Amino acid sequence: MNLKQKIEVSEQLGLFKSLDLIYKAVPSGTCDGCTRCCHESVNLSNVEGLNIIATYFLNQEGDVSVTKDRSDRLLRFFLREWVDAMKCPFLEGEKCSIYQARPLPCRIFGNRTEEAYAENFRRIQLQNQSVQRSLFKSEGLRLPRRVTAHKIGYCQSYVRTSTLDEEAVNALYDRLIQLDSRLYFEGGIEDLSMNAHLVGFFVDEVILEQSFEIVNRTLLDELKREMLKNINVAVK
Ligand code: SF4
């Protein structure tokens, strides 16, 4: 199934409407717009990724269209994410350029209780350590500390109407998984993993699809490792 078909099937199944209901279940709050929480890339579900594309990146003919400037920014982030902690490439002029369709982690960031925030940070650290271990084992490469220890910090300025503890956060994610499952059983996705990465999703689903096989994922992964190798050589 190509990207356009995945979006059509999601619409037919009412998945974007169901997604909207999940987003509406997130308590409201007032953010001072400091954008500190946008200084990383986030994970998202497949239906969320398709919803972002359907909301912001379809042209009048209904084809997926991403400008070269945006594609360059996404690729730059993707290639440098192991060597630098960077701001989200969708942040433009201190504003989220996909705000109406931003994924769940961006919506709940300010609503988590301090305990739920700490638990999430612990999970991210474990993921980083797992990437670190596998890179070291396979290629002797180390991620720099500015990447592995990157921490945004609990938001103290967000004015919450109510908070989400770990259980409430998990319940929202369960609902996202159910939407992905429905798409999976229609053949719209091959993998039910909830660890899709916002930038990686765009690289795989949009940029590589549009690059007419001039660029492929293997080449990108090689370039990414090459950058990390240069950093590792520099610190020896
Ligand atoms: S998608 Fe938008 S809200 Fe989420 S981190 Fe990126 S810029 Fe911030």
Side-chain angles (χ1 to χ4, degrees):
M1 216 183 266
N2 65 30
L3 187 52
K4 213 171 150 179
Q5 290 166 328
K6 290 179 195 176
I7 291 172
E8 281 164 9
V9 170
S10 300
E11 264 160 5
Q12 283 157 14
L13 294 172
L15 300 183
F16 297 146
K17 285 193 179 132
S18 302
L19 180 62
D20 198 40
L21 293 177
I22 299 174
Y23 289 161
K24 285 197 169 106
V26 176
S28 58
T30 309
C31 161
D32 70 3
C34 74
T35 72
R36 218 161 37 93
C37 60
C38 296
H39 279 64
E40 65 179 2
S41 179
V42 294
N43 285 355
L44 82 175
S45 70
N46 286 277
V47 171
E48 287 186 293
L50 295 172
N51 182 51
I52 294 170
I53 293 170
T55 309
Y56 285 98
F57 301 107
L58 292 185
N59 62 21
Q60 284 184 337
E61 288 75 44
D63 293 319
V64 179
S65 160
V66 171
T67 61
K68 178 164 182 323
D69 177 53
R70 184 176 298 277
S71 153
D72 287 351
R73 261 184 289 137
L74 288 163
L75 274 177
R76 200 170 296 126
F77 184 102
F78 181 79
L79 292 173
R80 291 191 63 81
E81 69 179 339
W82 284 346
V83 299
D84 269 324
M86 294 166 287
K87 68 178 186 180
C88 172
F90 287 98
L91 187 65
E92 287 175 14
E94 304 303 297
K95 282 206 164 30
C96 173
S97 57
I98 54 168
Y99 189 78
Q100 297 304 329
R102 68 200 185 286
L104 191 61
C106 312
R107 293 171 190 262
I108 61 176
F109 185 84
N111 289 102
R112 280 191 155 111
T113 58
E114 290 210 54
E115 293 72 28
Y117 169 82
E119 177 55 28
N120 187 50
F121 182 67
R122 194 188 64 81
R123 232 184 340 254
I124 292 168
Q125 291 280 284
L126 288 176
Q127 279 172 14
N128 287 349
Q129 285 162 17
S130 156
V131 173
Q132 169 87 292
R133 266 197 305 277
S134 93
L135 277 170
F136 189 72
K137 202 171 158 196
S138 60
E139 290 153 75
L141 292 172
R142 285 183 197 281
L143 296 174
R145 226 184 115 58
R146 60 176 176 267
V147 171
T148 53
H150 180 61
K151 184 175 186 183
I152 288 175
Y154 185 69
C155 185
Q156 301 291 355
S157 58
Y158 187 76
V159 183
R160 301 160 179 89
T161 51
S162 103
T163 51
L164 296 169
D165 61 14
E166 192 59 11
E167 200 183 336
V169 169
N170 288 341
L172 290 170
Y173 278 106
D174 283 348
R175 290 171 69 184
L176 281 188
I177 291 170
Q178 283 167 20
L179 300 188
D180 267 19
S181 303
R182 291 184 62 199
L183 191 55
Y184 175 79
F185 287 115
E186 293 294 324
I189 46 176
E190 285 142 29
D191 179 4
L192 265 182
S193 153
M194 282 296 289
N195 279 328
H197 183 269
L198 174 59
V199 175
F201 181 88
F202 267 76
V203 168
D204 284 332
E205 295 283 349
V206 181
I207 297 175
L208 293 179
E209 284 298 311
Q210 287 190 344
S211 63
F212 310 108
E213 297 179 8
I214 297 166
V215 186
N216 59 51
R217 184 63 186 256
T218 310
L219 175 62
L220 290 182
D221 285 340
E222 273 172 22
L223 288 170
K224 203 165 164 174
R225 282 177 158 70
E226 206 53 47
M227 286 203 178
L228 188 58
K229 259 181 213 158
N230 289 340
I231 292 272
N232 276 240
V233 168
V235 294
K236 270 182 187 161

